[in-house]
Amino acid sequence: MHTRTSIGAAVALATGLLFAGTAWADKLDDIKKAGVLRVAAFDGNPPFGYIDATTKKQVGHDIDLATEFAKSLGVKLELVPTNPANRIPLLTSGKADVVFASFTITDERAKVVDFTTPYFLVGQQFLAKKGALTSLDQLKDLRVGTEKGTTMESNLRNNYPQTKVVLYDDSPFALAALRNGNVQAITNDGVKLTAQLNTLPDKDKYEIPALTVSKEYLGAAVGKGEKRLLDTLNAWLVEGEKNGRNLAVYNTWFGPQGPSPLPRLLKVGEAG
């Protein structure tokens, strides 16, 4: 959900861009003039963003939000596939206008990008073989896989320094490592883990223990200083809560009939 190693360089780049001219400071006008909104979104993290096996198209919860936001601006949507570590670089390099990619809001990241009001609340949990993980105290003796450049990684290293953290480029690789025994557990937000568990042909052998490391708010992100674009996006999210659009998108993916049924923990505007 989430990048740390490149943030220092990104701060320098973002600062330079802020003084490079009006093009960076007026991204909303650029988007409307080009007629295209470029959104960085996952292509390997269901159900937020992934490639549909049948249609071969990029789909998911965040893709639906991006599609609706582009429609509200009257422009076409151009999806820019990303993994967790590339989200900030895509913004600071100008290759994407907005990030909709299960992006955890942190103070460190907010030095480099501007986040919207939160639109999703998740908790960091674990997926393991049944009975393999029953207490957080066990983490010190386990190999735990997660995605590089995420808050999942930093949470483990900061709170459970004895844990052997094994990093992967994307969540499907971590899941494969769990199944072939390279790690004893994988960690991610509970939403992603539920979706991954539901894809397993032998899912009865695995479980998501009732253990939570943290609660995290997710938001969309824009380039640092893009106030007009940020304000427009925030207003659109708030409007979507009032008119039911946010709930409809949520229910498509997480409602009772969706691929990853989960209670909705946050309404836009509720986060303190």
Side-chain angles (χ1 to χ4, degrees):
M1 258 161 224
H2 311 274
T3 156
R4 299 178 301 105
T5 56
S6 60
I7 284 184
V11 168
L13 178 57
T15 302
L17 287 171
L18 282 171
F19 293 96
T22 58
W24 178 256
D26 220 4
K27 182 64 72 175
L28 183 59
D29 283 343
D30 292 343
I31 292 168
K32 292 183 176 180
K33 183 178 180 179
V36 176
L37 174 69
R38 300 168 302 165
V39 174
F42 285 145
D43 60 357
N45 280 294
F48 287 101
Y50 64 101
I51 302 299
D52 183 87
T54 301
T55 66
K56 308 302 180 184
K57 293 182 178 180
Q58 203 171 342
V59 299
H61 176 272
D62 286 351
I63 311 299
D64 285 355
L65 288 179
T67 299
E68 292 299 319
F69 182 56
K71 287 180 182 178
S72 76
L73 297 178
V75 299
K76 295 180 180 179
L77 175 66
E78 178 184 322
L79 293 172
V80 182
T82 187
N83 59 30
N86 284 337
R87 289 172 298 191
I88 287 178
L90 284 172
L91 272 184
T92 56
S93 66
K95 294 179 180 178
D97 305 313
V98 177
V99 172
F100 263 112
S102 184
F103 211 177
T104 302
I105 299 170
T106 69
D107 291 341
E108 185 179 13
R109 288 171 175 167
K111 297 175 183 177
V112 186
V113 301
D114 286 334
F115 284 103
T116 64
T117 185
Y119 65 83
F120 213 105
L121 174 61
V122 298
Q124 181 174 349
Q125 295 181 270
F126 299 88
L127 176 61
K129 284 194 172 181
K130 284 187 175 178
L133 180 59
T134 58
S135 168
L136 292 175
D137 291 337
Q138 293 176 267
L139 290 175
K140 66 180 184 298
D141 301 317
L142 299 181
R143 289 169 57 87
V144 180
T146 194
E147 299 160 80
K148 62 178 67 172
T150 67
T151 53
M152 308 302 162
E153 174 193 352
S154 58
N155 285 341
L156 276 185
R157 295 195 188 281
N158 292 336
N159 298 315
Y160 303 94
Q162 292 179 294
T163 302
K164 174 61 177 177
V165 181
V166 184
L167 300 178
Y168 299 92
D169 287 332
D170 226 333
S171 57
F173 297 111
L175 180 62
L178 173 65
R179 302 199 71 205
N180 65 31
N182 285 344
V183 295
Q184 286 77 54
I186 60 175
T187 187
N188 214 312
D189 66 70
V191 174
K192 288 184 183 178
L193 293 179
T194 300
Q196 288 184 301
L197 177 61
N198 288 337
T199 67
L200 299 180
D202 54 347
K203 67 178 184 179
D204 59 308
K205 298 180 180 179
Y206 295 85
E207 65 180 352
I208 301 174
L211 304 171
T212 302
V213 174
S214 67
K215 290 184 178 180
E216 303 183 352
Y217 290 101
L218 309 184
V222 302
K224 197 68 180 172
E226 297 294 349
K227 186 177 186 304
R228 289 184 63 230
L229 179 56
L230 182 66
D231 288 347
T232 300
L233 188 46
N234 273 328
W236 176 82
L237 284 168
V238 171
E239 176 192 35
E241 197 61 46
K242 294 177 180 178
N243 65 24
R245 180 187 58 238
N246 297 347
L247 179 60
V249 171
Y250 183 93
N251 282 339
T252 298
W253 301 99
F254 303 108
Q257 308 305 318
S260 302
L262 283 174
R264 190 175 186 224
L265 302 178
L266 178 74
K267 294 180 180 179
V268 172
E270 283 187 341

